[in-house]
Amino acid sequence: MSNEIPRATVERLPRYLKCLEQLIQHKRTISSTELAHLANLSPAQLRKDLSQLGSYGIRGVGYDVEQLQGEIRRELGLTRDWPVIVVGVGNLGSALAAYGGFGNRGFEIAGLYDVDPDRIGDNIQGIEIRSLDRVGRDVAARRVAIGIITTPAVAAQSTADVLVAAGISSILNFAPAVISVPSHVELRQVDLSTELQILAFYLQSRSGESAPRPRDDEP
Amino acid sequence: MSNEIPRATVERLPRYLKCLEQLIQHKRTISSTELAHLANLSPAQLRKDLSQLGSYGIRGVGYDVEQLQGEIRRELGLTRDWPVIVVGVGNLGSALAAYGGFGNRGFEIAGLYDVDPDRIGDNIQGIEIRSLDRVGRDVAARRVAIGIITTPAVAAQSTADVLVAAGISSILNFAPAVISVPSHVELRQVDLSTELQILAFYLQSRSGESAPRPRDDEP
DNA sequence: TAGATTGTTAATCGATTAACAATC
DNA sequence: TAGATTGTTAATCGATTAACAATC
């Protein structure tokens, strides 16, 4: 009954949004062909995706850039600001905290946490680093739904457990470890070495070495 | 003729590898059920994936952990070390450069580049930051195939162009911009705000607000 | 041999593509 | 009206799942 948007489409909406943001200064309307070209996708796929949101294109003309941006933002839930916490303020966590792109994109850092006593009390961009012990109270008080894990790999699972216990329902894991969460928690994993390994696969396969030599286990 | 491994399978191989690495101390063999559980996937999918690599399981027993790790590493092209360069040594680029996980995972930072004269000559983890002008010569000399972009969004496309011109054939883009590369270049994009937006979508849709209110454009 | 677990097949499901009628 | 471009349909393609024969 409700308009179910396919997962693959949801995962492309941010990309369309990014293209539209770069575009909004320059054009009032854009055709599926042009926008698809910017997004490195086919026009058919773009139209299919956008038609899932309702029908905001104008036949013979194209899409209104500003309106479409608004529709996608609404669909993604970016008309409000989501508070986000970051656990693990090492190099990567600090880099994310310092990254400006939160505020103007619908997100806001509501807290930074670490377990290292030396770091607790420091602050990054005006946000104090607090003990992970406090995360339960803070999440409840500020109604935080999204947690980002930037701890070392060994601490990732226990951190996830703490976040879930605190009531977090969406986790973005940057630690290079596969973690498990209850099924009501939405989990996304981003990992540098995973991405590099995928690139390495295609490099190797392109450079010829395609057939992995078969093993002879028996003499 | 050559054993084409489906893209979806390739993208899961790093995950299996990560699980096996955590496991290798503890077990000599593992069943598809157990390993799938660790990887948050179904046993059927795991067996299907692994069977694409050849058949390394033992019926009635399971998979030899060490052997399977070796097979996946070979398949992904991790039996050699791939030199990698990083362009843009801001917070994120510095964090990646400082990240220990390169060396022991089949990758090695062969160069750091920036355009900021103040940063050129500095070094991170013993690697000197050089002018982007030099990237062409360096890539050729060191046979670098993989480039990581950690510049600001506005510089991402021009950086990609420079890398492609230098002969790089695989790019990992962390800048929050959609970029285009020639079809012979393999491109992967990783973006914090994209991931957060996808999480926001599911948060919003779970919390009820499912039907985007229809627009009345006509009075 | 009996029990366990793989590798593979066939069925299902979902996503992409191509084409074109609808319509601005 | 003629030209352009969407939204949608049907066809294709690829990925996942379930089930079980093969086999350790």
Side-chain angles (χ1 to χ4, degrees):
Chain A
M1 208 94 312
S2 78
N3 53 339
E4 261 309 281
I5 298 188
R7 208 165 175 100
T9 296
V10 171
E11 297 188 348
R12 280 188 296 266
L13 292 180
R15 172 186 294 233
Y16 300 141
L17 193 54
K18 233 184 290 180
C19 292
L20 290 167
E21 279 161 9
Q22 292 174 358
L23 208 68
I24 202 160
Q25 328 256 9
H26 309 298
K27 288 174 84 68
R28 290 193 68 77
T29 66
I30 190 165
S31 70
S32 60
T33 307
E34 290 174 286
L35 184 51
H37 184 79
L38 284 174
N40 295 321
L41 299 164
S42 75
Q45 184 164 62
L46 179 108
R47 290 202 299 277
K48 188 86 194 250
D49 282 342
L50 296 186
S51 72
Q52 320 261 16
L53 313 188
S55 295
Y56 299 111
I58 305 164
R59 286 164 144 100
V61 177
Y63 300 87
D64 182 289
V65 174
E66 202 173 328
Q67 183 191 353
L68 183 57
Q69 193 180 67
E71 294 309 333
I72 294 177
R73 294 184 65 84
R74 178 165 312 140
E75 197 63 45
L76 287 173
L78 305 178
T79 51
R80 50 163 291 194
D81 249 39
W82 296 94
V84 169
I85 59 175
V86 177
V87 183
V89 197
N91 282 308
L92 180 58
S94 306
L96 294 189
Y99 168 62
F102 278 96
N104 52 29
R105 284 165 185 276
F107 304 93
E108 167 209 2
I109 297 189
L112 300 175
Y113 298 87
D114 208 305
V115 292
D116 179 355
D118 291 350
R119 304 227 56 186
I120 292 168
D122 290 3
N123 88 51
I124 296 177
Q125 304 268 106
I127 302 162
E128 186 196 8
I129 301 173
R130 313 178 65 146
S131 165
L132 185 57
D133 299 337
R134 304 184 134 195
V135 79
R137 271 168 292 170
D138 292 358
V139 162
R142 304 207 46 181
R143 306 183 140 278
V144 180
I146 301 177
I148 301 181
I149 298 177
T150 46
T151 65
V154 288
Q157 181 64 60
S158 63
T159 300
D161 297 342
V162 169
L163 293 181
V164 170
I168 289 287
S169 60
S170 296
I171 291 179
L172 177 49
N173 177 36
F174 282 94
V178 177
I179 64 177
S180 298
V181 296
S183 63
H184 71 274
V185 175
E186 182 78 21
L187 171 68
R188 296 190 64 84
Q189 318 226 27
V190 173
D191 178 34
L192 172 66
S193 61
T194 295
E195 297 300 325
L196 290 176
Q197 288 171 3
I198 295 168
L199 290 175
F201 174 87
Y202 289 108
L203 275 171
Q204 159 170 271
S205 62
R206 229 181 300 158
S207 67
E209 194 174 339
S210 67
R213 100 194 69 117
R215 264 334 194 42
D216 0 282
D217 276 58
E218 299 294 307
Chain B
M1 205 91 319
S2 79
N3 55 336
E4 261 310 279
I5 298 191
R7 210 166 174 100
T9 296
V10 171
E11 296 187 349
R12 280 188 297 268
L13 292 181
R15 172 185 293 233
Y16 300 141
L17 195 53
K18 234 185 289 180
C19 293
L20 291 168
E21 279 160 7
Q22 292 174 359
L23 208 68
I24 202 159
Q25 328 256 11
H26 309 298
K27 286 172 86 66
R28 290 194 68 77
T29 66
I30 190 166
S31 70
S32 60
T33 307
E34 290 174 285
L35 184 51
H37 184 79
L38 285 174
N40 296 321
L41 298 165
S42 74
Q45 184 164 62
L46 178 107
R47 288 202 300 277
K48 188 84 192 248
D49 282 343
L50 296 187
S51 73
Q52 319 263 13
L53 312 188
S55 297
Y56 299 112
I58 304 166
R59 288 165 145 102
V61 176
Y63 299 87
D64 182 288
V65 173
E66 202 174 327
Q67 183 192 353
L68 183 56
Q69 193 182 67
E71 294 310 329
I72 295 178
R73 294 184 65 85
R74 177 164 312 140
E75 197 63 45
L76 286 171
L78 305 178
T79 49
R80 49 164 291 193
D81 250 37
W82 296 93
V84 168
I85 58 175
V86 177
V87 183
V89 195
N91 282 308
L92 181 58
S94 305
L96 294 190
Y99 169 62
F102 277 97
N104 53 29
R105 284 165 184 278
F107 304 92
E108 166 209 4
I109 298 188
L112 301 175
Y113 298 87
D114 209 304
V115 293
D116 179 353
D118 290 350
R119 304 227 55 185
I120 293 169
D122 289 2
N123 87 52
I124 297 178
Q125 304 268 104
I127 302 162
E128 186 195 9
I129 301 173
R130 312 178 65 147
S131 165
L132 187 56
D133 299 338
R134 306 184 132 193
V135 80
R137 269 168 294 169
D138 292 358
V139 163
R142 304 209 43 182
R143 307 184 138 277
V144 179
I146 302 177
I148 301 180
I149 298 177
T150 46
T151 64
V154 288
Q157 181 65 60
S158 62
T159 299
D161 296 343
V162 169
L163 292 181
V164 171
I168 288 285
S169 60
S170 296
I171 290 179
L172 177 49
N173 178 36
F174 282 93
V178 177
I179 64 177
S180 299
V181 296
S183 62
H184 71 274
V185 176
E186 182 77 20
L187 172 67
R188 297 190 63 86
Q189 317 227 27
V190 173
D191 179 33
L192 173 65
S193 62
T194 295
E195 298 299 325
L196 290 175
Q197 288 170 2
I198 295 168
L199 290 175
F201 173 87
Y202 289 108
L203 275 172
Q204 158 170 273
S205 63
R206 230 181 297 159
S207 67
E209 191 174 341
S210 68
R213 102 193 65 120
R215 265 328 195 40
D216 0 282
D217 276 59
E218 298 296 306

